[in-house]
Amino acid sequence: MSRLYRLLPAARRLRIADDTFQEAPFARSSAIRIAVPTSQHIRWQHAQAEATTSAAGADHAPQEQPDRSQKQIKYTSESYPNIQRDSRFKELNSDDVKFFKDLLGSESAVIDGVNQDALSDLEGFNADWMKKYRGKAKLVLKPDSTEQVSEILKYCNGNLLAVNPQGGNTGLVGGSVPVFDEIILNLSRLNKIRSFDDVSGVFVADAGVILEAADNHLAEHGHIFPLDLGAKGSCQIGGNVATNAGGLRLLRYGSMHGNILGLEAVLPDGTIVDDLSKLRKNNTGYDLKQLFIGGEGTIGIITAISILCPRRSQAVNVAYFGLESYAKVQEAFKEAKHQLGEILSAFELMDHRSQALYNKATGARLPLEAEHPFYCLIETSGSNTDHDSEKLNAFLEHVMGEEIVSDGV
């Protein structure tokens, strides 16, 4: 059966889901919750979410969370009183919890706050990393297979139970935590690395695999994951794809839309979409995976991905310099692209205020003694240390000689 005909049923279900979707006027579309029956015109629950300037800036390592007690965090529903829980979604009861416990089997796969006091166990799932948003979920489910995710969504869809998909919960805009009492479907146990082909560089893994674990696995084979984030020790690759995370390596390797070759996902009615292609040159049929990349779980939960991973560079160099204006930053960026070309792997901009805050918060000494309005960090990655160092030094000499850069190291 051709790929096109294999995916047509999924395409029809996506069309039906789109037809039944109605966005509430008070909510933003970037944080829509799952669990809408495809046969009825039921509005999906929404959560108000703040805008972010970049995916790289929206992720930070959770081990350094702000020191604020969960009880001090105001509920999101109280912070945004204009958002009301849709009464058509039912409330959890003991029968629902029993179904999920029987389905998942392991006690560690269910955190039950319906039949017992589990507030302390639910804290880390109900609040976001910044401790700005807090939900009221009473149940956390941790499936360990795509089939279990399918059965969960099928049951929730048939019983009008709202679901909040959650990965590593490392975002800063509240998109990974519930607003009301949605069921949290956490993918942390869906964490198997399925395969890696060191000829093609194609890596296939479950959505719950930690980004750093994926990169370490690839490093053993001389390859690199085409995404790097500050939260790599906690964030999950499924969440990275669902939010279309950009990260520090985007300049060199591009976005998720270009690196993902295929994925496996579960639609709200439990239908499994198997588009886990490993073929790079694939020009057949509709490219359905693009609908899930950056979709934040709104039309389905990603359970596995297939991604193209480049060879790991043998030579890495870093330069850090200060600039006097944003116009100078733009000039430096143009010169970096022109002179460093194929070895340029990162160009990160920071202003003085952010560096001062970092210095105040950590006490760490900044690379440059003098203060500048803007700072840039450049990274080069290549295969020849001498060649790359020569190009980088020539670039630095040029930008400092032309007074584009004021100081550097």
Side-chain angles (χ1 to χ4, degrees), residues 370-385:
E371 294 183 357
H372 302 275
F374 296 95
Y375 302 90
C376 285
L377 184 145
I378 283 183
E379 180 191 73
T380 64
S381 303
S383 58
N384 187 306
T385 303

Side-chain angles (χ1 to χ4, degrees), residues 323 325-337 347 349 376 404:
L323 307 97
S325 69
Y326 184 68
K328 295 293 186 183
V329 172
Q330 293 177 306
E331 289 184 51
F333 183 48
K334 288 193 296 183
E335 290 298 326
K337 290 191 293 181
F347 189 101
L349 169 65
C376 285
I404 298 173

Side-chain angles (χ1 to χ4, degrees), residues 196-202 223:
F196 175 69
D197 185 341
D198 59 3
V199 175
S200 64
V202 177
H223 284 68

Side-chain angles (χ1 to χ4, degrees), residues 108-401:
S108 61
V110 179
I111 300 179
D112 177 14
V114 176
N115 299 312
Q116 58 195 42
D117 183 8
L119 181 62
S120 59
D121 294 328
L122 292 167
E123 284 181 2
F125 301 92
N126 266 318
D128 74 317
W129 184 89
M130 284 292 288
K131 306 298 182 184
K132 292 171 61 179
Y133 304 102
R134 183 186 180 192
K136 302 177 181 179
K138 298 179 181 179
L139 184 68
V140 175
L141 303 178
K142 300 179 182 179
D144 63 5
S145 70
T146 302
E147 289 70 27
Q148 287 184 350
V149 175
S150 174
E151 289 300 319
I152 290 171
L153 291 185
K154 183 179 179 181
Y155 181 88
C156 291
N157 187 73
N159 290 274
L160 285 177
L161 291 168
V163 176
N164 183 97
Q166 186 179 88
N169 196 18
T170 58
L172 304 185
V173 295
S176 59
V177 294
V179 177
F180 302 105
D181 56 347
E182 299 95 319
I183 296 172
I184 295 177
L185 202 161
N186 185 280
L187 300 181
S188 58
R189 295 179 70 236
L190 204 65
N191 57 7
K192 299 180 183 64
I193 294 176
R194 301 191 184 185
S195 66
F196 175 69
D197 185 341
D198 59 3
V199 175
S200 64
V202 177
F203 177 72
V204 182
D206 289 349
V209 171
I210 300 298
L211 176 59
E212 188 172 40
D215 195 53
N216 290 341
H217 179 84
L218 290 165
E220 297 175 2
H221 300 274
H223 284 68
I224 190 172
F225 200 90
L227 172 72
D228 189 25
L229 298 171
K232 62 184 178 182
S234 302
C235 66
Q236 300 172 10
I237 59 176
N240 298 149
V241 177
T243 56
N244 191 26
L248 306 177
R249 295 172 180 163
L250 184 138
L251 185 63
R252 177 69 172 270
Y253 302 118
S255 70
M256 285 293 184
H257 282 288
N259 289 305
I260 295 294
L261 301 180
L263 53 77
E264 178 186 80
V266 181
L267 301 184
D269 66 351
T271 301
I272 298 175
V273 178
D274 183 7
D275 188 23
L276 206 57
S277 171
K278 301 178 185 178
L279 183 62
R280 183 177 184 183
K281 186 178 181 181
N282 188 349
N283 55 5
T284 60
Y286 299 106
D287 196 4
L288 290 181
K289 67 178 182 291
Q290 301 297 343
L291 298 175
F292 296 89
I293 300 172
E296 299 189 27
T298 55
I299 61 173
I301 297 179
I302 297 172
T303 54
I305 67 166
S306 170
I307 187 170
L308 182 65
C309 300
R311 291 285 302 181
R312 186 173 291 266
S313 299
Q314 298 177 1
V316 178
N317 295 288
V318 176
Y320 180 92
F321 44 79
L323 307 97
E324 296 307 311
S325 69
Y326 184 68
K328 295 293 186 183
V329 172
Q330 293 177 306
E331 289 184 51
F333 183 48
K334 288 193 296 183
E335 290 298 326
K337 290 191 293 181
H338 174 65
Q339 297 195 32
L340 299 176
E342 76 286 351
I343 67 170
L344 180 62
S345 56
F347 189 101
E348 295 292 317
L349 169 65
M350 298 150 281
D351 63 5
H352 169 70
R353 185 181 180 188
S354 66
Q355 293 298 279
L357 287 171
Y358 169 76
N359 173 255
K360 181 179 179 180
T362 65
R365 186 174 66 88
L366 298 178
L368 301 179
E369 293 183 3
E371 294 183 357
H372 302 275
F374 296 95
Y375 302 90
C376 285
L377 184 145
I378 283 183
E379 180 191 73
T380 64
S381 303
S383 58
N384 187 306
T385 303
D386 295 335
H387 169 267
D388 294 357
S389 297
E390 182 180 345
K391 292 192 72 170
L392 182 59
N393 289 332
F395 162 75
L396 292 175
E397 289 177 6
H398 172 74
V399 293
M400 295 190 75

